[in-house]
Amino acid sequence: GGVNLSNGFVTFNDRISAEVALRLTGITEDKSELILETPPEPSDIQWADFTQDQTARQGREILGYALTIGLYFAYMPIVVAVTNLANIIDLGPLDILWDSVAPTLGLQIMIAFLPTFLITIYKFCFTLKAAAWAQHKLQAWYFWFQLFFVCLIAAIGTNVMQFTDAMFTDPFSMPGLLADTLPSATHYYMNYLVMQWTTQALVLTRYIPLSKFKFFSKIFSEEEAKELAEPEDQD
């Protein structure tokens, strides 16, 4: 009827029966009529995802992929813009130190915010059914972003479209392109390593939870502020 959902849970008394049931993929003529899979942990289930309309779900998934592709093509322009702004800043006597981090500041900022951008897209556009599945999807896409925009950033340069076109139309040209561009980018990667040391040192201080705790303690009690400040962002 109209009150029933297309999703449900079946509880078994033993593990063997559950494993046998998961293999019953051919019990109906239409293989898409019954889709069997291992459910997530009860405490991790996102119940709202089980009530989504199938048609609306497909539309949201298309939007999610479009936003991810858009983020891919917007990534490098944002990195370049932030880096150019950082290079303009003059810190006087500290300018020597600033010059060691400014060239890769844009990349580091985008790397820091990329998981947040991706996890937001996945949570709002994809039917994940569990928070852990969002983390798995994030891990897969984050790997490719890191590969392209950290390992291959010297080959990509500022023209993401041209690099992507060359990668798909003539993939065998990639080794030669990397051989031409990577040697001239050694200083860039050395600056990137220095920036990573600074970033990881700041992470160890847990300044974000501390800042959140200090902010919330002005509004709530100390115990409530502690609960609001923890855990750290899981993206």
Side-chain angles (χ1 to χ4, degrees), residues 6 54 69 97 103 157 199 204 210 218 225:
S6 59
Q54 185 66 23
I69 294 172
L97 294 175
T199 303
L204 290 175
L210 176 61
K218 302 292 184 181

XYZ file of all heavy atoms in Angstrom, residues 6 54 69 97 103 157 199 204 210 218 225:
79
model
N 9.949 0.732 0.309
C 10.604 -0.240 -0.566
C 11.813 -0.874 0.095
O 12.500 -1.691 -0.516
C 11.042 0.438 -1.871
O 11.941 1.503 -1.605
N 12.411 6.966 -5.213
C 13.392 6.436 -6.147
C 13.705 7.427 -7.274
O 14.857 7.609 -7.664
C 12.897 5.121 -6.740
C 13.896 4.421 -7.648
C 15.133 3.931 -6.904
O 15.077 3.723 -5.703
N 16.229 3.754 -7.635
N 32.138 16.863 -10.253
C 32.884 17.231 -11.455
C 33.164 18.732 -11.475
O 34.259 19.175 -11.844
C 32.096 16.806 -12.717
C 32.008 15.282 -12.779
C 32.749 17.352 -13.985
C 31.097 14.770 -13.876
N 60.357 33.669 5.719
C 59.603 32.497 6.163
C 58.299 32.345 5.387
O 57.888 31.240 5.038
C 59.311 32.607 7.672
C 60.520 32.555 8.604
C 60.091 32.804 10.045
C 61.215 31.211 8.492
N 53.796 29.740 -1.657
C 53.540 29.104 -2.954
C 52.570 27.923 -2.889
O 51.897 27.625 -3.883
C 54.938 28.646 -3.405
C 55.880 29.550 -2.708
C 55.243 29.806 -1.377
N 49.317 22.029 -14.200
C 49.517 23.466 -14.331
C 48.248 24.215 -13.970
O 47.558 23.866 -13.014
N 51.207 22.336 9.079
C 49.810 21.925 9.220
C 49.654 20.811 10.248
O 48.769 20.866 11.113
C 49.263 21.452 7.861
O 49.417 22.494 6.900
C 47.796 21.074 7.981
N 48.115 18.708 15.760
C 48.450 18.079 17.042
C 48.047 18.937 18.226
O 47.819 18.425 19.327
C 49.951 17.777 17.093
C 50.444 16.663 16.156
C 51.969 16.552 16.212
C 49.820 15.329 16.531
N 39.572 23.196 20.643
C 39.794 24.185 21.706
C 39.044 25.479 21.406
O 38.390 26.051 22.293
C 41.289 24.463 21.851
C 41.672 25.553 22.868
C 41.214 25.164 24.270
C 43.175 25.808 22.839
N 31.150 30.272 26.305
C 30.607 31.607 26.554
C 29.078 31.604 26.539
O 28.439 32.506 27.081
C 31.113 32.595 25.489
C 32.624 32.721 25.400
C 33.207 33.372 26.633
C 34.714 33.574 26.461
N 35.325 34.188 27.674
N 29.474 22.686 26.535
C 30.476 23.174 25.577
C 31.431 22.056 25.172
O 31.822 21.945 24.012
C 31.252 24.340 26.181
